């Protein structure tokens, strides 16, 4: 009898301890009151030929796709260990990576640890693919046998059943009195003057910046971010043959540019504008690469031609005001292309006052907005 009682106590203790681990650990079967069967996802993640589903869905956090770390790691044959503020990931083949759990590579939501899908994929040799119709990000290595089309067909019913209702887009609304002015190729020695004008008229703009220029003018970049302007990427070289050498070369330039931005202003961005505009060179293969990394492609619908008329600021003014009025007649929100240069700074006060007199509000482009580009690619 005594042995039976001792055994019963041991079993009860085991159940209580094990039950506590399940209720507090990463493998909790439910989250936010939802079961896996009823969960809805705004975005999906997959590893090779398998859609990785969770009680809690992947999330977009600060413009980056994050996935629950334990489940995603398991799908990649990777184990997870936590120690002293670090996360150590170890592949079954022996490769090990340690990351600081600093809110950059990982973050915690409702008791679960999430990791950047891009980071964990890169660390263990997976390439990211994006299926736009299904909104699936797929990590691929040699273990995949299905094409993207076959994968989409395999999971079409599941995705249709579990896809969350798409929220109302923050895409610029037709007919609104909002205008987006953008400046390419900076920062430059004229950026402080440009920022002074914007500040004087309480105007917000968006800057698509070159990585080497960022490195040369870090104080201006920090001010752009501090003043609440939009920060975007324009690549590193601005040389057609180098930037468009391959989809990877274009992506690599944007990633390098993003690192320069972070060095200068401690932020990353998902906004990109490619050299010379996205048509004709930035074809689907290029866009698929950048979209898989979460980048949003922006072009413009009004070209100030300020680079062409550097000796005639009044011509720049005439071009912009004419095109803004034409856009208004069509009910289209203006997105104006300028360049970070002396002639633009010279005419900008007059332009701003005239545009404000037309009833427009200047706003910055943000990571959350649906992008506007020549391809009508809304990723």
């Amino acid at each position: 009898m005594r042995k039976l009682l001792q055994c019963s106590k041991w079993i009860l203790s085991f159940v209580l301890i094990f039950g506590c681990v399940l209720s507090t650990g990463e493998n909790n079967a439910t989250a936010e009151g939802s079961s896996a069967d009823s969960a809805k996802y705004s975005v999906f993640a997959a590893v090779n030929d398998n859609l990785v589903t969770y009680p809690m869905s992947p999330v977009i956090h600060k413009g980056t796709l994050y996935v629950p770390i334990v489940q995603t790691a398991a799908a990649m044959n990777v184990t997870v260990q936590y120690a002293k503020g670090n996360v150590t990931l170890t592949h079954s083949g022996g490769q090990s990576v340690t990351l600081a759990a600093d809110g950059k590579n990982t973050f915690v939501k409702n008791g679960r640890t999430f990791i950047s899908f891009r980071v964990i994929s890169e660390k263990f040799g997976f390439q990211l693919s994006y299926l736009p119709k299904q909104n699936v990000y797929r990590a691929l290595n040699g273990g995949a046998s299905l094409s993207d089309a076959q994968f989409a067909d395999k999971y079409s019913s599941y995705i249709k059943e579990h896809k969350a209702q798409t929220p109302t887009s923050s895409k610029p609304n037709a007919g609104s009195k909002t205008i987006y002015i953008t400046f390419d190729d900076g920062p430059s020695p004229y950026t402080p003057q440009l920022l002074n004008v914007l500040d004087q008229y309480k105007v917000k703009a968006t800057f698509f910046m070159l990585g080497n220029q960022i490195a040369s003018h870090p104080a201006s970049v920090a001010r752009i971010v501090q003043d609440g302007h939009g920060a975007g990427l324009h690549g590193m070289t601005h040389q057609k043959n180098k930037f468009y050498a391959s989809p990877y070369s274009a992506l690599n330039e944007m990633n390098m540019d993003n690192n320069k931005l972070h060095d200068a202003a401690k932020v990353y961005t998902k906004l990109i504008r490619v050299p010379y505009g996205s048509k004709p060179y930035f074809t689907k293969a290029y866009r698929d690469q950048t979209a898989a990394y979460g980048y949003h492609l922006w072009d413009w619908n009004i070209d100030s031609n300020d680079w062409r008329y550097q000796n005639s600021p009044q011509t720049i003014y005439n071009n912009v005001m004419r095109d803004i009025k034409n856009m208004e007649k069509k009910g289209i929100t203006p997105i104006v292309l300028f360049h970070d240069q002396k002639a633009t700074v010279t005419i900008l006060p007059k332009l701003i006052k005239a545009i404000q007199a037309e009833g427009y509000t200047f706003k910055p482009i943000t990571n959350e907005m649906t992008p506007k580009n020549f391809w009508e690619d809304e990723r």
Side-chain angles (χ1 to χ4, degrees):
M1 179 64 70
R2 181 177 299 174
K3 290 182 178 180
L4 180 60
L5 288 173
Q6 289 175 341
C7 182
S8 298
K9 290 179 180 179
W10 182 88
I11 292 172
L12 179 61
S13 298
F14 176 80
V15 170
L16 289 173
I17 293 171
F18 188 66
C20 181
V21 170
L22 286 180
S23 67
T24 59
E26 291 291 339
N27 292 314
N28 188 8
T30 62
E32 296 180 322
S34 298
S35 69
D37 290 337
S38 63
K40 296 293 184 180
Y41 308 101
S42 60
V43 62
F44 297 85
V47 176
N48 287 325
D49 295 337
N50 296 306
L51 191 66
V52 184
T53 58
Y54 321 96
M56 183 180 290
S57 69
V59 296
I60 302 296
H61 176 67
K62 297 183 178 179
T64 297
L65 176 64
Y66 285 80
V67 291
I69 188 171
V70 171
Q71 292 87 342
T72 306
M76 294 179 172
N77 293 320
V78 172
T79 59
V80 183
Q81 290 182 317
Y82 303 89
K84 299 180 180 179
N86 293 324
V87 177
T88 299
L89 306 170
T90 305
H91 192 268
S92 58
Q95 180 186 359
S96 183
V97 175
T98 298
L99 302 171
D102 54 5
K104 174 183 173 183
N105 296 312
T106 65
F107 78 101
V108 177
K109 177 182 179 182
N110 295 337
R112 287 180 177 271
T113 301
F114 288 72
I115 188 168
S116 162
F117 198 33
R118 176 183 63 81
V119 168
I120 192 172
S121 297
E122 284 185 344
K123 295 298 183 183
F124 294 101
F126 288 79
Q127 297 292 322
L128 287 181
S129 176
Y130 180 68
L131 285 65
K133 291 183 179 179
Q134 294 77 22
N135 204 16
V136 174
Y137 290 85
R138 188 180 178 202
L140 300 168
N141 65 5
S145 60
L146 299 178
S147 67
D148 281 349
Q150 291 169 327
F151 180 91
D153 184 63
K154 176 181 177 181
Y155 286 103
S156 60
S157 296
Y158 182 91
I159 291 173
K160 184 177 180 180
E161 179 182 352
H162 291 83
K163 192 171 184 180
Q165 185 69 31
T166 303
T168 302
S169 171
S170 55
K171 181 180 180 179
N173 295 319
S176 72
K177 296 294 284 187
T178 296
I179 188 169
Y180 300 92
I181 60 171
T182 66
F183 299 92
D184 284 10
D185 295 355
S188 77
Y190 300 103
T191 306
Q193 299 174 46
L194 185 56
L195 291 171
N196 288 343
V197 172
L198 297 175
D199 183 58
Q200 178 183 353
Y201 292 96
K202 300 184 180 349
V203 163
K204 300 302 180 186
T206 304
F207 293 78
F208 289 95
M209 297 173 283
L210 293 166
N212 291 328
Q213 293 297 106
I214 290 173
S216 298
H217 305 278
S220 290
V221 180
R223 183 179 169 189
I224 285 169
V225 173
Q226 290 167 3
D227 287 357
H229 301 292
L233 310 174
H234 201 38
M236 296 294 296
T237 64
H238 210 290
Q239 295 180 30
K240 182 177 68 176
N241 292 340
K242 290 184 178 180
F243 184 87
Y244 294 104
S246 71
Y248 178 77
S249 66
L251 173 64
N252 187 50
E253 284 206 21
M254 291 305 181
N255 286 339
M256 292 173 64
D257 195 1
N258 218 356
N259 289 333
K260 296 290 186 183
L261 172 63
H262 187 265
D263 289 343
K266 308 307 177 191
V267 297
Y268 291 104
T269 186
K270 295 300 177 182
L271 308 177
I272 63 171
R273 174 176 286 167
V274 296
Y276 311 107
S278 65
K279 275 194 174 182
Y281 306 111
F282 210 63
T283 56
K284 185 176 184 299
Y286 290 82
R287 301 197 308 276
D288 286 348
Q289 279 283 343
T290 53
Y293 276 71
Y295 288 121
H296 305 308
L297 175 66
W298 284 84
D299 285 309
W300 58 87
N301 52 32
I302 294 178
D303 187 348
S304 69
N305 279 294
D306 55 352
W307 61 273
R308 188 188 304 274
Y309 299 110
Q310 294 186 45
N311 296 321
S312 180
Q314 184 61 40
T315 302
I316 299 171
Y317 174 91
N318 294 339
N319 288 342
V320 172
M321 294 309 301
R322 176 198 65 219
D323 290 347
I324 287 175
K325 291 175 181 177
N326 288 337
M327 287 292 172
E328 184 172 9
K329 291 176 183 177
K330 298 176 183 178
I332 299 174
T333 299
I335 304 168
V336 188
L337 169 64
F338 292 108
H339 293 82
D340 192 332
Q341 60 175 17
K342 182 178 180 180
T344 307
V345 176
T346 300
I347 198 61
L348 192 60
K350 183 177 179 180
L351 267 170
I352 289 175
K353 287 187 285 187
I355 295 169
Q356 288 177 333
E358 295 289 329
Y360 281 94
T361 299
F362 294 77
K363 293 183 180 180
I365 296 171
T366 67
N367 287 325
E368 294 74 29
M369 291 172 58
T370 301
K372 183 73 175 178
N373 53 66
F374 301 146
W375 297 95
E376 297 183 358
D377 189 333
E378 295 188 346
R379 289 181 288 178

